[in-house]
Amino acid sequence: MSNESLANLLKEERRFAPPADLAANANVTAEAYEQAKADRLGFWAEQARRLTWAKEPTETLDWSNPPFAKWFADGELNVAYNCVDRHVEAGHGDRVAIHFEGEPGDSRSLTYAELKDEVSRAANALLELGVQKGDRVAVYMPMIPETAIAMLACARIGAAHSVVFGGFSADALATRIQDADARVVITSDGGYRRGKPSALKPAVDEAVAKADNVEHVLVVRRTGQDVAWSDERDVWWHDLVGRQSAEHTPEAFGAEHPLFILYTSGTTGKPKGILHTSGGYLTQTAYTHHAVFDLKPETDVYWCTADVGWVTGHSYIVYGPLANGATQVMYEGTPDTPHQGRFWEIVQKYGVTILYTAPTAIRTFMKWGDDIPAKFDLSSLRVLGSVGEPINPEAWIWYRKNIGADRTPVVDTWWQTETGAMMISPLPGVTEAKPGSAQRPLPGISATVVDDEANEVPNGGGGYLVLTEPWPSMLRTIWGDDQRFLDTYWSRFEGKYFAGDGAKKDDDGDIWLLGRVDDVMLVSGHNISTTEVESALVSHPSVAEAAVVGAADETTGQAIVAFVILRGSAAESEGLVDELRNHVGATLGPIAKPKRILPVAELPKTRSGKIMRRLLRDVAENRQLGDVTTLTDSTVMDLIQAKLPAAP
Ligand code: ATP
Ligand code: MG
């Protein structure tokens, strides 16, 4: 961004109060904000008591060597015990922990008692393979229960897991195995994607040939497809885990014992190994899952549609929900297999009450049409969540109306791999919701928006999102690279965590996320957010999805170029393009009118579903494309380039 702060163009007047019954019975009320404001550390010390500690912490935060934080440092606990055993001990062994739904339609449900046996067996198996406390284990798996079991087994014996998303290449896996020095890899023959088995083991074989520090590969049989086998190195999960005892006594580890390393998706630059530790991480994931989703473990059926390979899967499929004793759905496949109503069929089948998904999925459902969810009974739903990108107000409204029967609150949760857990979000029983805004830092969290000189912007102003106080689930460092940790997050603004996202405050002081700072456009001396222009485009009835970039322009510095996906029924025409330009002009003002608008069939997205604007910028500026390896589908770029007329 330039010195000029971000223009504040979008005005959203719609408001949605919490449903009265939800507000009356909410887990968390407005008082939590007051309590945390009066005594932030006392508030977190109280939340830490949600966990079962082998040794209760007496210390809350040690910030004597900032920004290297220690939370609950003299406490000791076992994370897997907290996620599994204690629920069985409390008499909830028969409660379902995971309803697994395979893509081909196979399903199985695991109770907490069964999960305890499986995690204990897997822990014993890892010990037999020589894994010790403090070691790292790489996990490269499809979305099946064994993935969560593997992660919990690592946590149980004090080994840090490094989950690598199953869609990543052998090279990406090899780099991550080497960076973390993992000696054991847990994988499967494959998983089901888009109606057919998709292999994983060959990528592991290739990665392990490069990363020769790996001693053992533990392989779950999921699809039954043929696999190459090394007798010295490879072992089947059903053989090794299957013959272990279901007894394993969990050892207590220090609160700052490493729990996992997770490499950020690499939307920008070389992946960073984000390190999370135990006590603070579990405290904040459990608290936020309880507060933001209003989880009632006895009656709710929760479903987070993320992949376990992303932080959302770590914090809101594995650790938060299981620490809270939730019953959840885990789905292996894609939303359009075998038909575009698959998600809604699953909601109906299990009576899902809380759904957590991403804007990219919501916009895809919008594009497919309202009639698809309308065919299913979605009346069990009571809270809807969003994460991953800013949600366009129109997508938010669509979600509430078509999935939530115009009744359920929508919580837009802002956070990152680095923050470990949710940071900014409405509370469903408290907040009067504004479509498109994450609104307010959660109780115990301090966030604000600053300008270039680190001054807090007034209400109505825009700039950079920063976190001003340490939080329990914060990253502790970048694995093996403290200097990069300091440079990336703590050097831009003295004493504050720089999130890398643009944001603004509205007249009430609520926070709106405006996309990555690197994506902000500079048009005739004004900083304009890609998010606001995209949201204006999506608010037109013909547009399902939009990606906006600033392309170099002789007269205005940058000119706005928009790529749009039209809704099912809309037809592409000159007239429509003019109409869209005028619609943006009328919504945001003339400065934000795109110079060019190109209807396209698909947009380039990362494997976690985020729009990759830098590639579109390359196209708009007629440049050679940059690195496309993290794209879901690189042929998308060929289609877009073919559409682009020569620059006017
Ligand atoms: P990399 O850091 O490697 O480029 P990434 O930032 O996409 O990858 P994540 O940590 O999964 O990896 O994503 C966090 C980012 O996603 C945030 O910094 C923000 O840009 C965006 N984001 C997540 N949730 C929201 C939200 N509710 N509103 C706006 N933006 C969001
Ligand atoms: Mg990031």
Side-chain angles (χ1 to χ4, degrees):
M1 268 195 265
S2 78
N3 259 340
E4 164 110 9
S5 66
L6 211 55
N8 186 351
L9 300 173
L10 192 73
K11 293 271 179 277
E12 173 58 64
E13 303 294 342
R14 290 169 288 190
R15 301 288 179 270
F16 297 87
D21 54 336
L22 199 156
N25 299 299
N27 285 351
V28 174
T29 64
E31 206 200 313
Y33 293 109
E34 297 309 313
Q35 192 202 339
K37 198 170 160 202
D39 179 7
R40 189 173 59 89
L41 294 181
F43 171 83
W44 284 120
E46 189 180 318
Q47 301 318 320
R49 284 184 215 113
R50 303 176 168 280
L51 308 183
T52 305
W53 297 82
K55 181 165 173 277
E56 292 273 341
T58 61
E59 211 180 292
T60 301
L61 170 65
D62 174 355
W63 194 234
S64 57
N65 179 28
F68 297 93
K70 290 186 182 140
W71 282 86
F72 313 116
D74 64 344
E76 290 178 7
L77 79 170
N78 185 287
V79 169
Y81 171 85
N82 272 275
C83 292
V84 185
D85 306 46
R86 64 170 177 156
H87 306 310
V88 179
E89 288 170 14
H92 306 309
D94 292 337
R95 184 185 296 163
V96 171
I98 299 174
H99 288 295
F100 170 69
E101 181 79 13
E103 198 190 72
D106 58 320
S107 61
R108 73 184 151 120
S109 295
L110 271 161
T111 63
Y112 274 95
E114 289 165 336
L115 187 63
K116 174 173 177 281
D117 289 352
E118 292 304 315
V119 171
S120 300
R121 286 198 184 94
N124 286 326
L126 291 177
L127 291 171
E128 191 178 315
L129 292 179
V131 179
Q132 292 177 3
K133 165 182 169 176
D135 287 353
R136 272 83 51 207
V137 173
V139 176
Y140 186 70
M141 292 278 270
M143 282 287 291
I144 56 177
E146 284 78 4
T147 310
I149 292 166
M151 292 161 75
L152 291 164
C154 291
R156 195 170 183 98
I157 63 170
H161 52 73
S162 164
V163 180
V164 179
F165 173 57
F168 277 140
S169 66
D171 273 342
L173 175 61
T175 319
R176 288 159 172 79
I177 289 173
Q178 278 165 330
D179 188 73
D181 191 19
R183 304 293 166 88
V184 170
V185 181
I186 306 177
T187 188
S188 75
D189 48 0
Y192 290 96
R193 298 297 290 175
R194 297 183 203 288
K196 48 180 192 296
S198 156
L200 287 172
K201 176 78 166 43
V204 175
D205 294 338
E206 204 184 317
V208 164
K210 292 187 181 120
D212 53 11
N213 42 336
V214 172
E215 289 155 14
H216 301 285
V217 178
L218 181 56
V219 190
V220 176
R221 184 180 279 154
R222 165 65 184 145
T223 59
Q225 62 204 115
D226 285 339
V227 289
W229 203 257
S230 150
D231 284 331
E232 308 84 84
R233 192 194 65 202
D234 299 345
V235 51
W236 283 110
W237 175 286
H238 55 263
D239 286 340
L240 181 70
V241 178
R243 67 173 153 76
Q244 302 295 324
S245 155
E247 296 301 318
H248 175 269
T249 309
E251 185 189 332
F253 303 106
E256 284 296 340
H257 189 71
L259 181 62
F260 65 86
I261 301 167
L262 180 60
Y263 292 83
T264 51
S265 65
T267 317
T268 48
K270 175 178 174 267
K272 304 177 275 279
I274 303 301
L275 176 69
H276 284 289
T277 59
S278 304
Y281 172 80
L282 199 63
T283 296
Q284 194 174 330
T285 52
Y287 172 69
T288 51
H289 184 260
H290 159 88
V292 173
F293 293 128
D294 191 45
L295 179 90
K296 311 282 197 266
E298 302 79 17
T299 48
D300 275 317
V301 179
Y302 164 82
W303 181 23
C304 167
T305 71
D307 192 281
V308 179
W310 310 122
V311 74
T312 305
H314 282 59
S315 301
Y316 298 104
I317 294 177
V318 180
Y319 293 109
L322 295 177
N324 289 338
T327 293
Q328 68 177 315
V329 173
M330 180 189 245
Y331 173 55
E332 178 182 33
T334 45
D336 53 354
T337 308
H339 57 80
Q340 294 178 336
R342 186 67 191 271
F343 270 27
W344 319 123
E345 186 178 72
I346 293 173
V347 168
Q348 177 177 289
K349 173 173 174 184
Y350 294 102
V352 172
T353 58
I354 303 167
L355 178 69
Y356 193 27
T357 192
T360 180
I362 297 165
R363 293 185 304 244
T364 303
F365 300 138
M366 282 170 76
K367 185 172 64 179
W368 289 345
D370 307 0
D371 53 317
I372 294 173
K375 287 182 210 137
F376 298 89
D377 179 4
L378 308 180
S379 61
S380 53
L381 288 168
R382 65 180 199 92
V383 179
L384 302 177
S386 173
V387 62
E389 289 179 291
I391 180 165
N392 317 104
E394 227 43 58
W396 191 105
I397 295 281
W398 186 93
Y399 191 27
R400 177 177 158 109
K401 186 161 166 258
N402 292 278
I403 308 304
D406 226 349
R407 170 179 49 78
T408 61
V410 174
V411 287
D412 174 16
T413 63
W414 179 88
W415 59 293
Q416 316 176 292
T417 307
E418 294 87 338
T419 68
M422 295 168 185
M423 301 294 283
I424 306 177
S425 170
L427 289 174
V430 179
T431 316
E432 175 163 76
K434 298 176 178 176
S437 174
Q439 294 186 272
R440 198 170 165 187
L442 287 166
I445 300 300
S446 309
T448 190
V449 181
V450 298
D451 65 16
D452 260 301
E453 277 79 49
N455 302 310
E456 209 168 321
V457 303
N459 288 356
Y464 307 88
L465 181 73
V466 292
L467 304 172
T468 53
E469 296 289 350
W471 63 101
S473 63
M474 65 197 284
L475 76 165
R476 298 305 194 254
T477 189
I478 291 176
W479 182 255
D481 202 345
D482 286 349
Q483 192 56 47
R484 192 170 178 209
F485 169 65
L486 296 171
D487 294 345
T488 309
Y489 306 107
W490 300 95
S491 63
R492 179 71 180 78
F493 301 109
E494 174 83 45
K496 297 184 176 75
Y497 173 90
F498 172 50
D501 286 339
K504 70 177 185 185
K505 283 195 208 162
D506 67 17
D507 295 339
D508 305 321
D510 279 329
I511 295 176
W512 295 69
L513 275 303
L514 297 178
R516 292 167 194 283
V517 170
D518 312 335
D519 288 335
V520 167
M521 304 174 288
L522 186 61
V523 182
S524 305
H526 296 273
N527 278 133
I528 296 180
S529 133
T530 52
T531 302
E532 291 199 331
V533 180
E534 288 164 6
S535 289
L537 285 162
V538 174
S539 74
H540 188 280
S542 297
V543 178
E545 182 148 30
V548 162
V549 299
D553 185 276
E554 279 170 14
T555 42
T556 54
Q558 282 188 322
I560 302 178
V561 179
F563 300 80
V564 296
I565 298 181
L566 300 178
R567 289 225 207 180
S569 53
E572 186 179 333
S573 69
E574 269 304 309
L576 178 60
V577 166
D578 281 343
E579 194 182 316
L580 293 178
R581 291 187 69 241
N582 293 332
H583 175 75
V584 175
T587 315
L588 300 181
I591 181 86
K593 262 194 184 181
K595 185 162 183 186
R596 306 165 76 186
I597 299 184
L598 294 154
V600 292
E602 284 298 338
L603 291 169
K605 292 196 178 152
T606 64
R607 286 160 206 264
S608 56
K610 302 182 196 209
I611 298 171
M612 259 228 235
R613 291 179 192 75
R614 94 181 139 72
L615 294 178
L616 293 172
R617 216 176 299 135
D618 291 345
V619 173
E621 295 182 341
N622 299 316
R623 246 200 321 274
Q624 188 82 30
L625 287 190
D627 184 10
V628 294
T629 50
T630 58
L631 278 185
T632 334
D633 175 5
S634 55
T635 62
V636 166
M637 290 315 296
D638 304 335
L639 291 175
I640 293 175
Q641 276 179 314
K643 277 226 62 152
L644 195 79

